[in-house]
Amino acid sequence: MRKIKYKKGRKVQPTILEYTGSHKSIKTEMQLFVYDANDLTEFKEFKVSQLDKCFDGSKVNWLNIHGLNEVGIIKSIGEHLNVDNFMLGDILNTTKRTKLDEYHDVLFFNIKSLLPIENSDNINVEQISFLLKNGILVSFQEKRSDFFTHIRERINTHSGIVRDKKADYLLYLLLDAVMENFYITLEAEEDKVESLINLSKSSTNPIILEQIERHRDNYNFLKRSIIPLRDSLYSIKSIKDDNVFNAIEHNNYSFFDRLHQKSLELLEQIEYDMISLDSASNFYFSAQNHKMNEVMKTLTVVSVFFMPLTFIVGVYGMNFDNMPELHWKYGYFMILGFMFLLLLGMIYYFKKKKWY
């Protein structure tokens, strides 16, 4: 049975940067959005050499990176933002759990994005990381995806308040978009579990139990992914009055509080779904026990039918000399007829009592 777990990465020195994920053939691509309420500039094929020229300190700068295989590019961005190597190492090491940290006015956040794999019970995992500093937000994705397409459209069309807010609000939107994947994954699991529950009521195929355990592993994996996210969001929520996270404006803490509430909602739903999964196990074992009971009941009824017949045959097989029936002309046919009538009588009686 497949057990879902985080991949164990190869241990490297803290000063050595190395991408440990599975998308090593993907070329690193970057897009930069520089905007405020009145202006927007988009650089679709952004290069590292343009860092100093294109960043505008008076506006919001969102640098989105697809592909982490070119470590030199990641290191150059870290040097430009004065990011310590341990943060860059956490970006490149995809085995790390979700975490939140702030060091030298750089807010670091990484999160696991989960999505179901089509026509499979497996879950696709991608690590997404964020660096926030002085109006600059850098997002790191292992591969190209459409998680943030709707946010780009809102920026391009000036929909909502995203263009009126700072980079910390954009971080909230990106985190919210990633968390939507948890809902998609959870909904897909719920549909499969519902079908599994219905199947467990009518079938005793051993593969059902294997599927139940596979989905139980999926739910446990979801919990392991959401719990550290919940804790990180709670850290933002709980210390807003202490001004610990300088990269987040005070009036935007409420948005991160919403994300924390979503994480609690997800965990509660997972607990409920796992109880439903236990019901599927109970249905399976109940159906299996019922089938076994029916088999034993059938075997018992058949054996009871033949017990008196076996007794009669045993009596007349004792070969005593003084057994008058043995010398009757029609004794053989009379005994057969009696045994047949006795069998019919027992069948009728059992049927009337509804014993089978």
Side-chain angles (χ1 to χ4, degrees):
M1 184 184 301
R2 179 188 61 85
K3 184 176 182 181
I4 296 181
K5 59 183 179 180
Y6 287 118
K7 296 173 291 185
K8 186 177 181 179
R10 182 170 67 84
K11 293 182 180 180
V12 296
Q13 296 296 327
T15 56
I16 299 177
L17 299 179
E18 179 181 344
Y19 173 56
T20 62
S22 58
H23 305 285
K24 296 184 181 296
S25 61
I26 296 179
K27 182 180 178 181
T28 301
E29 298 177 349
M30 298 184 289
Q31 301 84 38
L32 175 65
F33 291 84
V34 181
Y35 66 86
D36 58 14
N38 302 314
D39 186 42
L40 167 65
T41 305
E42 179 181 355
F43 302 87
K44 293 186 177 181
E45 296 182 358
F46 187 75
K47 303 297 181 184
V48 176
S49 58
Q50 300 174 279
L51 285 172
D52 293 322
K53 180 174 62 176
C54 296
F55 277 180
D56 188 340
S58 63
K59 299 179 181 180
V60 176
N61 303 266
W62 174 28
L63 177 61
N64 189 37
I65 301 174
H66 300 107
L68 306 179
N69 192 38
E70 299 181 44
V71 177
I73 295 178
I74 308 301
K75 189 173 181 179
S76 297
I77 294 172
E79 291 174 350
H80 183 83
L81 297 178
N82 193 25
V83 176
D84 281 358
N85 267 12
F86 80 88
M87 286 187 179
L88 299 180
D90 287 344
I91 292 172
L92 296 171
N93 188 351
T94 59
T95 64
K96 294 290 186 179
R97 75 197 297 263
T98 295
K99 65 179 294 187
L100 170 70
D101 200 3
E102 187 176 39
Y103 192 67
H104 290 167
D105 295 329
V106 177
L107 182 68
F108 169 72
F109 205 126
N110 79 337
I111 184 175
K112 302 296 181 184
S113 175
L114 308 181
L115 279 175
I117 299 178
E118 190 174 357
N119 300 323
S120 173
D121 290 334
N122 296 346
I123 295 177
N124 182 52
V125 185
E126 178 187 350
Q127 177 170 287
I128 301 178
S129 305
F130 303 96
L131 292 174
L132 177 63
K133 179 180 180 179
N134 298 332
I136 299 173
L137 176 63
V138 186
S139 55
F140 302 85
Q141 299 178 249
E142 292 189 68
K143 58 185 178 64
R144 181 175 291 277
S145 60
D146 57 354
F147 301 158
F148 307 141
T149 301
H150 64 290
I151 297 177
R152 296 189 188 94
E153 292 177 355
R154 290 173 64 176
I155 293 175
N156 285 322
T157 59
H158 203 337
S159 300
I161 60 174
V162 60
R163 293 267 295 272
D164 301 319
K165 290 284 189 178
K166 300 297 183 181
D168 54 344
Y169 179 78
L170 177 60
L171 174 61
Y172 153 72
L173 290 180
L174 298 180
L175 289 174
D176 185 56
V178 175
M179 289 187 68
E180 287 300 316
N181 295 338
F182 285 100
Y183 285 96
I184 295 173
T185 304
L186 191 56
E187 183 178 357
E189 283 295 309
E190 288 175 341
D191 292 340
K192 294 174 183 177
V193 169
E194 183 178 356
S195 301
L196 201 56
I197 291 176
N198 294 332
L199 188 61
S200 66
K201 295 178 181 179
S202 57
S203 174
T204 56
N205 191 329
I207 198 174
I208 294 177
L209 191 59
E210 181 180 343
Q211 292 175 349
I212 289 174
E213 292 306 315
R214 185 180 297 118
H215 287 293
R216 197 187 309 277
D217 287 342
N218 287 352
Y219 279 122
N220 285 327
F221 181 70
L222 280 167
K223 285 182 66 176
R224 293 201 308 270
S225 301
I226 297 174
I227 287 176
L229 174 61
R230 176 203 62 186
D231 296 340
S232 298
L233 293 170
Y234 181 77
S235 298
I236 297 178
K237 169 189 173 183
S238 61
I239 58 180
K240 61 182 179 181
D241 295 330
D242 300 331
N243 293 323
V244 174
F245 295 118
N246 298 318
I248 300 177
E249 292 186 354
H250 189 273
N251 59 349
N252 286 335
Y253 277 100
S254 59
F255 296 112
F256 293 91
D257 184 30
R258 296 179 188 177
L259 297 181
H260 178 253
Q261 293 300 321
K262 281 190 173 183
S263 67
L264 296 178
E265 178 184 304
L266 285 166
L267 288 173
E268 290 176 358
Q269 187 62 38
I270 289 174
E271 291 294 338
Y272 175 81
D273 291 341
M274 292 188 73
I275 294 175
S276 300
L277 202 58
D278 290 336
S279 299
S281 298
N282 294 334
F283 279 130
Y284 172 80
F285 287 116
S286 296
Q288 197 172 49
N289 292 334
H290 178 71
K291 182 179 180 180
M292 180 62 69
N293 290 337
E294 288 297 315
V295 171
M296 295 303 298
K297 179 180 178 181
T298 302
L299 294 176
T300 301
V301 169
V302 171
S303 63
V304 169
F305 284 161
F306 283 92
M307 282 177 60
L309 306 183
T310 305
F311 173 75
I312 295 173
V313 172
V315 168
Y316 287 101
M318 291 189 292
N319 295 324
F320 285 110
D321 291 335
N322 189 16
M323 294 185 69
E325 299 90 340
L326 294 178
H327 303 288
W328 291 357
K329 181 178 180 180
Y330 299 105
Y332 171 73
F333 299 102
M334 292 174 62
I335 292 299
L336 285 181
F338 175 74
M339 292 169 65
F340 180 71
L341 292 175
L342 178 62
L343 181 61
L344 291 178
M346 293 178 64
I347 293 175
Y348 172 77
Y349 182 78
F350 278 42
K351 191 73 174 178
K352 187 176 181 180
K353 291 291 186 179
K354 296 181 180 179
W355 288 352
Y356 69 92

